[in-house]
Amino acid sequence: DIASIDVQEILEQSIAEYEEKIEEADLRLIVHNLEDHMKVKADGRLLWRSVRNLLSNICKYAMPSTRVYIDVVRRDHNIVMIFKNTSRDELNITAEELKERFVRGDSSRHVEGSGLGLSIVKEIINAHKQNIDVISTPGVGTEFIFTLEKSK
């Protein structure tokens, strides 16, 4: 059900839900540019699931004692959400492969999960007629970027 969804509410709910896991992973979460009344046209339940899946992956795969950034940017008629973290292990697959079902890097096999998280996010964002980009820079980190249409 597409509706006008408040990005701040979705992020705050998801972050609150993952607060304990973020602390256990020894991560420092920094949110930039989140403003009141940043609304997007989206299925709120699916957007919430996407954000939860991204936070779950970050908690599992980010290097401990590092910062995780969430940037929310207004761009023309869209809202861009960017999740950035420093990976604990270097990826041994392409960023594109990472978004496919059941695919995980060999170095992450000891971590609980099915390998579906990012592919579900990809499907949800695609259902909103948008794409998710994954940019991985060795020694720097990984960025998960998606755009949703701004709601009036």
Side-chain angles (χ1 to χ4, degrees):
D1 295 332
I2 302 297
S4 180
I5 303 299
D6 189 316
V7 172
Q8 182 177 15
E9 285 181 25
I10 295 286
L11 274 175
E12 287 176 352
Q13 289 172 0
S14 301
I15 290 167
E17 182 179 344
Y18 274 86
E19 188 172 12
E20 189 175 315
K21 289 182 182 183
I22 291 166
E23 287 176 17
E24 286 172 5
D26 194 23
L27 301 171
R28 183 166 169 236
L29 188 63
I30 300 169
V31 180
H32 288 138
N33 304 319
L34 186 59
E35 303 168 15
D36 288 338
H37 311 297
M38 291 180 94
K39 297 191 182 230
V40 294
K41 292 180 184 176
D43 181 314
R45 184 180 53 80
L46 294 178
L47 179 57
W48 175 69
R49 184 167 183 192
S50 295
V51 172
R52 286 181 60 225
N53 283 7
L54 288 169
L55 288 174
S56 175
N57 277 5
I58 287 169
C59 288
K60 289 177 191 175
Y61 303 119
M63 182 182 296
S65 302
T66 59
R67 293 178 203 87
V68 173
Y69 296 94
I70 300 175
D71 295 320
V72 183
V73 181
R74 293 178 196 264
R75 190 172 293 150
D76 299 322
H77 302 287
N78 299 305
I79 302 290
V80 181
M81 297 180 70
I82 306 164
F83 293 73
K84 300 183 225 179
N85 71 285
T86 303
S87 300
R88 179 179 54 233
D89 301 307
E90 192 170 322
L91 288 178
N92 60 352
I93 58 175
T94 67
E96 199 57 39
E97 289 173 313
L98 191 62
K99 294 186 287 184
E100 299 305 318
R101 288 181 174 273
F102 308 112
V103 174
R104 300 185 332 172
D106 287 338
S107 60
S108 68
R109 292 194 192 276
H110 63 281
V111 176
E112 163 189 329
S114 64
L116 286 172
L118 285 179
S119 71
I120 290 170
V121 173
K122 177 184 172 186
E123 288 179 22
I124 290 170
I125 300 304
N126 289 166
H128 287 85
K129 297 181 175 73
Q130 299 291 336
N131 294 307
I132 182 165
D133 293 313
V134 179
I135 301 168
S136 182
T137 308
V140 176
T142 306
E143 294 181 61
F144 303 91
I145 305 163
F146 64 90
T147 304
L148 292 171
E149 186 178 347
K150 211 180 332 183
S151 177
K152 298 179 185 203

